[in-house]
Amino acid sequence: MIINGVTIEDTFAEAFTMRVARIVITGKTARWAREAALKLTGFATSVIGCKCEAGIERELAESETPDGRPGVSVLFLTMDKESLPEQLIVRLGQTVLTCPTTACFDGLPAAPDRLAVGKALRVFADGFQGSKVIGGRRYWRVPVMEGEFLIEETFGMQKGVGGGNFLILAEHADAALAAAEAAVLAMTNCPGVILPFPGGVVRSGSKVGSQRYKNMLATTNEAFSPTLRAVAPSALPEGVNSVLEIVLDGTDAPSIEAAMRVGIRAACLGGVRSISAGNYGGKLGPHHFPLRVIMGNAGKPA
Amino acid sequence: MVVLSLRTAPTRALELAGVTPDRLAQLAQREIAALPVRHGGRAAALGDFFAVKGERAARVRVEGDLRLAEGLGAGMTGGELVVEGHAGRDVGVAMTGGAIEVRGDAGDNAGGAHPGAARGMGGGEIVIRGNAGDDAGARMRRGLVVVTGDAGRGTGRGMIAGTAVVFGAIGPDAGRWTKRGSIVACGPVARPATFRYACTYRPPHVRVLFLYLRERRGLDVVERWITGRYDRYSGDLAELGKGEILQWAGE
């Protein structure tokens, strides 16, 4: 399959089941909601080192938030049920609670699994907290120097998908970056999906484990590292001198698939040789995203 | 939906406690008409006063001038009760769930407590699209009482928790002996001396509450109440003092 001169490899992305929560942060202005969301989702690129993966899903208009103010929707993922509330309590307490004007709401009210996050953070009020039930949802009011911080008592948790991805194999680093930027731009505001890495892009796609250092969980993917083409078995076609990866996490497989479709389409630019994807042979992750099937309606067969 | 239309106007107090949506949801039309009520203290049947339409539904509409009807929706645990017209005293007394909407005025003790009871309303929502009498939301433990007109004396008196919202004016002794809970006053309120001024601010939960009332309950909430500043008075300081009167203070 070729789209706009770029080969879509006959391979698939392999993704894992993770636990996901959706946090809605509102503020007096979109800027302050964003400031809180940026801090909340900072250092949350990969569970390998950050214990969680998080990112801004999209910005919300006044009409979409419970308090009628501009907001930001954040997706927050961990590998297991236990670490999601731990991470949320620590991070929301240090970032959203501290940020001027913000309030914090659950974005998955229908999820039956409830995480007592606001319930834990209320004790910051040292006994001066108060609660309100509005429309069947309980909120905690935490008095702070600015005024009052409002946070929902519980947040929904559901199964999500982590590790959807595709690789941009380009003739040079500038072309890879331009294609990655175009892909990220196209995927901005895709519902149910976040791109947890810096600017949505990863340059250091890794393999599992190490061939030399036994305490390393993940090390460089030499098969895709152009500088190692001559000294290690390489997966790079001739003429490829730089590879960038886009990693997608989301609430469900169809959302990831939809985002991959628009992202891959946007990445098919000049200087890009092919689009590939990372997998582990199909045995580790339950979710498979075959590139050619996803792009089925977007291009002509090769 | 079950519709109860007033056919014979009561001449004395007509006690309707027990005629609740959760109960009507279990009953056939004939059984609904046979439900016991009291008229001027004497035993009667619901069907003596009301024409009954529909059966086995937790959505109930009551039509007619019900100023003499007492205890509409009292003790209800769920479902929806709409009163098309004025209602008498004790609307939703000691209810624990569900929603009541009065499309007219309500008498005293709406969302209040039974005489001598430590607690009144334990949950649910009452919306009065009109004026309320005295003691609306008295001794409430949880829940929401909204009055779009004026409210009388002792609104939210002895509240344990919960929320009372009044769009119009509130009479004297509002929130007297309140432990926790909020009284949101969009109009003037006669505050007891045992409430002390804390600050003027924009309470985030009031925004959420008013937007909920506008969007989910279809109430005419003006923008300046949603976005405005409120004076916060803490009280009753002769009690626990964790309650509040929030009085609208401007945009």
Side-chain angles (χ1 to χ4, degrees), chain A residues 39-103:
Chain A
K39 281 290 177 197
L40 172 64
T41 59
F43 188 59
T45 57
S46 165
V47 288
I48 297 171
C50 309
K51 313 280 186 230
C52 63
E53 301 183 5
I56 291 175
E57 181 187 19
R58 63 192 189 95
E59 303 217 343
L60 302 171
E62 282 96 331
S63 58
E64 296 176 284
T65 61
D67 65 359
R69 302 190 300 168
V72 167
S73 163
V74 167
L75 293 184
F76 209 99
L77 298 97
T78 59
M79 288 307 285
D80 56 84
K81 287 180 181 178
E82 292 71 33
S83 43
L84 191 51
E86 285 169 21
Q87 287 293 322
L88 281 175
I89 289 164
V90 172
R91 285 175 176 250
L92 287 173
Q94 297 302 311
T95 60
V96 184
L97 166 66
T98 57
C99 182
T101 78
T102 58

Side-chain angles (χ1 to χ4, degrees), chain A residues 179-202:
Chain A
E181 286 175 354
V184 169
L185 186 65
M187 289 186 283
T188 307
N189 293 339
C190 270
V193 171
I194 56 158
L195 311 175
F197 280 91
V201 190
V202 199

Side-chain angles (χ1 to χ4, degrees), chain B residues 144-178:
Chain B
L144 174 65
V145 176
V146 181
V147 181
T148 66
D150 299 335
R153 290 184 75 94
T155 300
R157 188 169 52 78
M159 270 168 94
I160 304 161
T163 307
V165 183
V166 180
F167 291 3
I170 304 181
D173 288 335
R176 177 82 80 190
W177 311 121
T178 285

Side-chain angles (χ1 to χ4, degrees), chain B residues 18-206:
Chain B
V19 184
T20 58
D22 42 293
R23 196 157 172 205
L24 267 46
Q26 316 289 330
L27 301 177
Q29 199 165 336
R30 218 157 31 84
E31 295 168 311
I32 293 173
L35 278 175
V37 300
R38 294 187 81 78
H39 182 237
R42 287 168 190 276
L46 187 64
D48 298 344
F49 295 91
F50 291 90
V52 181
K53 260 197 303 196
E55 57 184 9
R56 299 187 200 283
R59 291 180 61 215
V60 178
R61 195 166 76 218
V62 192
E63 301 168 341
D65 186 346
L66 297 159
R67 266 177 284 210
L68 286 172
E70 297 183 356
L72 278 157
M76 71 187 255
T77 60
E80 187 188 318
L81 175 69
V82 176
V83 181
E84 292 282 0
H86 300 308
R89 56 173 295 129
D90 297 340
V91 170
V93 159
M95 73 187 278
T96 56
I100 299 176
E101 182 167 320
V102 179
R103 296 180 178 160
D105 298 339
D108 294 346
N109 205 34
H114 288 303
R119 304 178 158 189
M121 190 170 165
E125 298 178 4
I126 300 176
V127 173
I128 297 161
R129 292 175 180 259
N131 300 323
D134 296 345
D135 294 336
R139 282 175 278 163
M140 184 196 307
R141 170 66 185 82
R142 185 180 295 136
L144 174 65
V145 176
V146 181
V147 181
T148 66
D150 299 335
R153 290 184 75 94
T155 300
R157 188 169 52 78
M159 270 168 94
I160 304 161
T163 307
V165 183
V166 180
F167 291 3
I170 304 181
D173 288 335
R176 177 82 80 190
W177 311 121
T178 285
K179 289 185 166 69
R180 281 178 233 90
S182 307
I183 297 171
V184 181
C186 302
V189 51
R191 263 177 293 104
T194 43
F195 276 72
R196 190 181 296 159
Y197 174 73
C199 69
T200 303
Y201 77 132
R202 300 178 202 275
H205 70 98
V206 171

Side-chain angles (χ1 to χ4, degrees), chain A residues 23-26 40 66-67 69 92 96-97 102-106 117 121 139 149-153 155:
Chain A
I23 317 296
V24 171
I25 302 164
T26 63
L40 172 64
D67 65 359
R69 302 190 300 168
L92 287 173
V96 184
L97 166 66
T102 58
C104 194
F105 303 96
D106 174 27
V117 175
L121 287 174
Y139 303 88
F149 171 56
L150 188 72
I151 182 168
E152 199 152 346
E153 177 169 75
F155 286 73

Side-chain angles (χ1 to χ4, degrees), chain A residues 65-69 105 127 129 132-135 138-139 141 147-148 150, chain B residues 125 142 162-163 181-182 201 203-205 207-209 211-212 232 242 244:
Chain A
T65 61
D67 65 359
R69 302 190 300 168
F105 303 96
Q129 67 269 25
K132 277 286 159 230
V133 178
I134 301 169
R138 184 180 289 279
Y139 303 88
R141 302 165 58 189
E148 220 169 67
L150 188 72
Chain B
E125 298 178 4
R142 185 180 295 136
T163 307
S182 307
Y201 77 132
H205 70 98
R207 281 189 77 101
V208 177
L209 174 65
L211 280 172
Y212 167 77
R232 181 177 205 260
K242 285 194 165 185
E244 63 184 354

